[in-house]
Amino acid sequence: MRYRTLGGTGIEVSVHCLGTMMFQAIGNPDHDDCARIIHTALDRGINFVDTADMYGQGETEEIVGKALRGRRDDVVLATKGHFKMGEGRNRSGNSRRWILKAVEDSLRRLGTDWIDLYQIHRPDPETDIEETLSALTDLVTQGKIRAFGCSTFPAEEIAEAHHVSERRGLGRFRTEQPPYSILARGIESSVLPVCRRYGMGVLVWSPLAFGFLTGKYRKDRPADLSTGRPTIRPEQFDPEIAANAAKLDAVERLVELASDLGCTLPQLAVAFTVAHPAVTSAIIGPRTAQQLDDLLKGAELTLDDAALDRIDDIVPPGTNLYNPNAPLPPRSLTDTALRRRPLADRAAA
């Protein structure tokens, strides 16, 4: 396993990061088995583990915390906060009030005194970014987190956050965690260049494209859409939808390429993401030990220019065959009052 420096922090992390979203009731509910998978990953050279408070509403963090007992000092531990946790108001978002509470809760569930990388899971249009950065900076000063980053932020909000950090003398986002795969290359146009401009580390999620690059979903072959991710976002798997048909067409060509290279489709998919110069680490999220083993067998796969050119021919650079986490339209589009002047003020004369 190779290691890269995480966004100028001086922290070295493995090029594969163990994602833990599947370690919960809706994925792998066996806590002991999940711990064994984590231990295997560590034994195979992975030193970077990513989780989030909202995975299983805290269940996943508890699994990770138990698994890391006795090995905490050897692991770069990342978690995230933003999404709603429990009932009631003010239990989500990016406010100082919630971030301070969310970090304390994560520390307790993880059974640790510090978090190496704390990430803001999504943007929050209701909270001033200065409020968020100020709270995160204080947490670094207090020693509760070592560094902080963002996840699935658009390029313009990443840039804005850096400008605010500079103007206000606050700590800055050291990392971004965006979705990235052969089928979802949109971030190559702006997010990845912005991250390089600011020297940020990038850990990408969903390199297997919500399962489309596992080989499970193939053109003209029946697939079980009643379990797993299709039950969460069925519109992304219905083969009758033209966009999904395009994904399946691309998958067939990628399967052929993987065969020519002597690797599996998932191994090809992960190797593609870490070949980009802006990417620090790719998050692999196995549900079983076998899935972990299959992915790690491809860790040494090097894609030469000819292979990357063939991928570019199948899915051109900067192209999204689908958006794995299509954001809600911004208020600037949905709120008519923000794009229409009062009736009496619309004419030029």
Side-chain angles (χ1 to χ4, degrees), residues 42-215:
L42 300 183
D43 292 341
R44 297 283 292 274
I46 289 178
N47 77 333
F48 196 12
V49 177
D50 179 75
T51 188
D53 58 5
M54 58 88 65
Y55 297 164
Q57 287 289 287
E59 179 185 7
T60 302
E61 285 188 327
E62 291 177 353
I63 292 172
V64 171
K66 292 176 183 177
L68 294 185
R69 288 176 183 169
R71 306 186 70 165
R72 176 67 185 90
D73 288 343
D74 299 322
V75 174
V76 178
L77 180 58
T79 192
K80 302 181 285 291
H82 164 82
F83 287 105
K84 189 171 180 60
M85 295 290 291
E87 299 299 325
R89 297 181 181 274
N90 297 311
R91 296 189 61 81
S92 64
N94 302 344
S95 69
R96 168 179 285 271
R97 185 182 194 278
W98 176 242
I99 288 173
L100 297 181
K101 177 69 164 61
V103 167
E104 293 294 345
D105 290 345
S106 288
L107 288 169
R108 173 177 48 78
R109 286 188 293 261
L110 291 165
T112 184
D113 294 328
W114 82 97
I115 295 163
D116 293 291
L117 175 65
Y118 190 78
Q119 300 155 101
I120 300 302
H121 213 154
R122 292 293 187 276
D124 179 2
E126 304 301 324
T127 304
D128 191 310
I129 189 63
E130 183 178 352
E131 176 84 359
T132 302
L133 295 171
S134 174
L136 293 168
T137 301
D138 287 347
L139 286 165
V140 171
T141 301
Q142 295 165 14
K144 294 181 179 180
I145 64 177
R146 299 294 188 253
F148 54 86
C150 50
S151 175
T152 320
F153 273 47
E156 64 272 17
E157 295 198 30
I158 295 172
E160 179 191 5
H162 279 280
H163 291 320
V164 171
S165 295
E166 187 174 281
R167 289 199 309 268
R168 302 301 187 188
L170 300 170
R172 62 187 180 92
F173 286 138
R174 290 290 186 174
T175 63
E176 158 64 9
Q177 185 180 139
Y180 184 48
S181 71
I182 295 175
L183 300 183
R185 303 183 60 176
I187 65 168
E188 293 174 343
S189 298
S190 55
V191 171
L192 293 183
V194 165
C195 288
R196 293 192 75 183
R197 167 67 179 80
Y198 289 108
M200 297 173 68
V202 176
L203 45 156
V204 298
W205 60 267
S206 198
L208 300 184
F210 266 24
F212 270 93
L213 297 179
T214 64

Side-chain angles (χ1 to χ4, degrees), residues 212 217 223 225 229-231 233-248:
F212 270 93
Y217 307 102
L225 303 182
R229 291 190 183 277
T231 64
R233 305 193 75 168
E235 73 280 0
Q236 292 190 349
F237 293 86
D238 183 351
E240 299 301 318
I241 297 176
N244 294 333
K247 287 185 284 187
L248 294 172

Side-chain angles (χ1 to χ4, degrees), residues 18 126 338:
L18 181 66
E126 304 301 324
L338 295 179

